[in-house]
Structure formats: structure tokens, C-alpha cells
Amino acid sequence: MIQLAHISKIYRFGDTVTEALRDVSLTIEQGEFTAIMGASGSGKTTLLNILGCMDTATSGSYVLDHTNITQLKAAELDKVRRHRITFVFQNFALMDRYSAYDNIELPLLNQKLPHAERRKRVLQTARQLGIESQLGKLPRQMSGGQQQRTAIARALVSGADIILADEPTGALDKKTGIELMEILTRLNAEGKTVILVTHDADVAGYADRILTISDGELVE
Ligand SMILES: Nc1ncnc2c1ncn2[C@@H]1O[C@H](COP(=O)(O)OP(=O)(O)O)[C@@H](O)[C@H]1O
Ligand SMILES: [Mg+2]
């Protein structure tokens, strides 16, 4: 489903040139659960952002479902970003004055969906994550685990099938971290493709496949 070929990413900042990714080639099948491990500064976030179409490579090609992402126009790229791919953030980044319902509905507001359809999707996604009874609450009225589920529901409500997570357990206590990994494992079992970046071997252990990146290069 995902094919990266000879991807490189060079950052130039004044006189400083950083080669964040060097000749990275990678294939990820639909429904796979992949972990990317590596030391700080090895290029993990850069790679994930390119996979998530949040950033573009300096050279190389990225094919997603037979579409060459590198050649897409902005509007088409925006569509891929909105409908196929979603990010799970480390700090849940919920809007603290919005109820759980309103937080989850947020990504649907810029799609031209009737109110009843939005409601159906919010309820369905909340049910999938076991938080239907929490929908009227503000984030601060929920436990950490419930806030996390709300954030994941918001990430999934648009129907994306590729979930990207950058050190998702980094700011969580052990128990909430395990809960998150169990949710990701279940979503993967239900068919989502999961790609996660971590430097924690226990977290990577949930994946089917572990890739290691060192100094911008993939080392299997
Ligand atoms: N926007 C940027 N401008 C310049 N250099 C950057 C930028 N983002 C990342 N880098 C550099 O690219 C390298 C890889 O960074 P990153 O992908 O964030 O690594 P990781 O997520 O593995 O810690 C690092 O040397 C970092 O300093
Ligand atoms: Mg990073």
C-alpha cells in the first residue's frame, strides 16, 4: 500500500545542512502494524511526517495506493491527508472548552456532511472506543484514559485507515500507555494500518514488524 523509494530529506538552516533521511526505501502493506525505532535525532519524526503527507521529501518517491504522492496537487494532497491518514498525538490536544462530543465532531465540520450524518459517525466512533457515556463531558471532567479515547475517536471519525503515532506513549503513565497500545492493537486487528515511532522496546513489541533508523538510514 505504501512504497517509499530512495527518499532523502535535507534541511537547510542558514549554513547548517542536515541530512535527516538518506536513501530510505520502505514498503508497508495494508493492515500491517509497523514500529520505527531509533535514537533521538535519527530521523523518525521526519519519516513519519513524510508518510503522513505533512512534509515532503527532498528527493525520492512516495506511492500510496498506486498514487504518486510526490506529484499530487495541493488540493488532492489535502484530500489524502483528510480522508486516509490520521495522527495520534502525544498530548491529547483536546479543546478544553469543548465537550467530548464536540471534540470528536471537529474534523467532520469542514466536510459537507448533514448534521444527522455527523451525529451518526460521532456516536459510532465513540461506541467503538467505549466512551458513549462520556460525550457530554469536558476533557477535565474525564480520566486520562477517557481523554485519550476521545482523542483517538477524533482521530478516527473521518474514516482514515492509516494511523500514525509519534512517540504516543511518551507523556503517559505506564497504565495509560498500555491502554493506548491495546487500543492501537485492536484497531489494527480491525483492519487499520498502524505506523508508530518509539524509542521504547516494550512499545515497539506490540508491532508486527520493527524497523530501525540510525542517522537517517534504515537498518533492518
Ligand atoms: N525543521 C527542521 N529544520 C532543521 N533541521 C531539522 C528540522 N526538523 C528536524 N531537523 C533535524 O533533522 C534530524 C532528524 O530529526 P527528527 O526527524 O526530528 O528526529 P527524531 O524524531 O528521530 O528525534 C535532526 O538532526 C534534527 O535536528
Ligand atoms: Mg521525533
Side-chain angles (χ1 to χ4, degrees):
M1 179 174 65
I2 288 174
Q3 267 180 305
L4 296 185
H6 308 294
I7 291 286
S8 80
K9 177 69 182 181
I10 297 170
Y11 290 111
R12 287 175 215 280
F13 187 75
D15 292 339
T16 319
V17 176
T18 308
E19 230 183 318
L21 295 175
R22 304 165 201 254
D23 197 25
V24 170
S25 297
L26 168 64
T27 303
I28 295 176
E29 303 296 341
Q30 179 159 16
E32 250 187 325
F33 188 163
T34 306
I36 300 168
M37 291 195 76
S40 176
S42 56
K44 303 183 297 297
T45 296
T46 303
L47 179 57
L48 205 69
N49 286 344
I50 289 173
L51 285 168
C53 303
M54 303 298 283
D55 199 355
T56 52
T58 308
S59 63
S61 79
Y62 175 9
V63 175
L64 172 62
D65 281 340
H66 313 291
T67 302
N68 192 338
I69 294 292
T70 350
Q71 287 166 0
L72 286 187
K73 296 196 186 74
E76 295 167 324
L77 192 61
D78 198 46
K79 218 164 143 193
V80 173
R81 229 184 264 137
R82 244 190 282 174
H83 296 284
R84 295 293 314 274
I85 300 171
T86 193
F87 279 84
V88 171
F89 294 103
Q90 187 175 91
N91 53 357
F92 318 130
L94 293 171
M95 310 281 281
D96 55 10
R97 288 161 172 272
Y98 282 35
S99 67
Y101 183 98
D102 291 340
N103 268 285
I104 297 170
E105 188 187 34
L106 222 46
L108 298 179
L109 293 180
N110 53 14
Q111 298 178 18
K112 292 185 183 67
L113 290 173
H115 177 264
E117 176 63 24
R118 294 202 306 268
R119 184 170 177 78
K120 194 176 118 202
R121 291 204 198 175
V122 170
L123 294 179
Q124 189 184 343
T125 313
R127 202 171 312 125
Q128 196 184 4
L129 287 152
I131 48 167
E132 312 103 292
S133 62
Q134 304 299 317
L135 289 172
K137 289 188 180 174
L138 295 172
R140 67 178 146 78
Q141 298 169 323
M142 296 189 284
S143 72
Q146 289 163 343
Q147 290 179 38
Q148 170 166 273
R149 283 163 189 268
T150 305
I152 295 171
R154 184 187 52 190
L156 292 175
V157 75
S158 312
D161 63 331
I162 304 171
I163 303 174
L164 304 179
D166 194 349
E167 315 248 14
T169 59
L172 304 179
D173 61 65
K174 183 118 188 141
K175 180 168 162 280
T176 318
I178 290 173
E179 245 180 77
L180 172 61
M181 293 315 298
E182 284 169 352
I183 294 172
L184 290 177
T185 303
R186 182 162 59 81
L187 293 169
N188 173 245
E190 290 168 6
K192 306 281 185 193
T193 303
V194 180
I195 307 172
L196 107 102
V197 154
T198 183
H199 56 250
D200 181 334
D202 288 342
V203 169
Y206 285 87
D208 303 323
R209 170 155 85 129
I210 301 176
L211 302 170
T212 306
I213 186 166
S214 170
D215 239 340
E217 281 183 284
L218 270 190
V219 287
E220 294 279 339

